Amino acid sequence: MNDQTCNQIQAPLRPKILIADDGAYIRRLLSIPLGKKYEIIEADSGAAALGFIELHKPKLVLMDIMMPGVMNGLQVLDIIKADPRFKDIFVGLMTARGQIKDGAIAKKRGADAYFVKPFSPADVVAWVDSMLHSTLQ
């Protein structure tokens, strides 16, 4: 009988990202490239996003502003930024609203980034990588 101890080496957990958008094509557009490095969680409404944030505690949220249901992206952003449990979550908002004042309002409410649709997925991936760089080391 062998008396050696077997030490298992676990791969580091991949940071979780929540992609919340009512458009499945937007979620897919982002989940494919981001899924290579990160664990992806998807939601199709603000209420679902908030539930997943509480359940999974992602490191970063990419969220549409205009979603169906009782809660839009800005309302979810307000909850994230007001709750001390979520203070370290980065939030990037995605929207078709391209007015300069809309982006300024989002930043004032605590958004870390503001992407106007149609956006370049490469730009979003680069932003995510820059925000989570320290998490990957």
Side-chain angles (χ1 to χ4, degrees):
M1 184 163 220
N2 191 343
D3 206 14
Q4 294 178 343
T5 304
C6 179
N7 291 325
Q8 291 183 337
I9 299 173
Q10 290 186 332
L13 295 176
R14 298 186 312 162
K16 293 178 186 173
I17 296 176
L18 171 66
I19 302 171
D21 196 299
D22 57 313
Y25 62 94
I26 294 291
R27 295 192 312 268
R28 183 163 172 79
L29 181 71
L30 294 172
S31 68
I32 290 173
L34 290 171
K36 295 174 183 172
K37 295 181 187 176
Y38 307 104
E39 182 179 337
I40 304 299
I41 304 157
E42 295 184 17
D44 61 2
S45 69
L50 187 57
F52 286 139
I53 290 165
E54 291 176 349
L55 182 64
H56 297 286
K57 313 256 184 315
K59 295 284 186 189
L60 186 141
V61 175
L62 293 168
M63 183 166 44
D64 189 12
I65 290 178
M66 296 178 285
M67 289 187 284
V70 296
M71 223 182 290
N72 66 35
L74 287 174
Q75 291 166 313
V76 176
L77 172 67
D78 291 342
I79 292 168
I80 291 170
K81 295 304 178 178
D83 191 323
R85 297 176 299 165
F86 308 137
K87 66 181 175 79
D88 295 329
I89 296 176
F90 298 107
V91 179
L93 293 179
M94 308 176 293
T95 185
R97 299 174 65 159
Q99 298 295 319
I100 293 173
K101 67 178 181 169
D102 294 326
I105 290 168
K107 294 272 183 139
K108 187 174 181 181
R109 289 171 84 162
D112 298 294
Y114 190 81
F115 299 99
V116 178
K117 296 176 184 177
F119 51 76
S120 162
D123 290 344
V124 177
V125 170
W127 176 77
V128 168
D129 287 344
S130 72
M131 294 292 101
L132 298 181
H133 179 72
S134 62
T135 304
L136 295 175
Q137 294 185 356

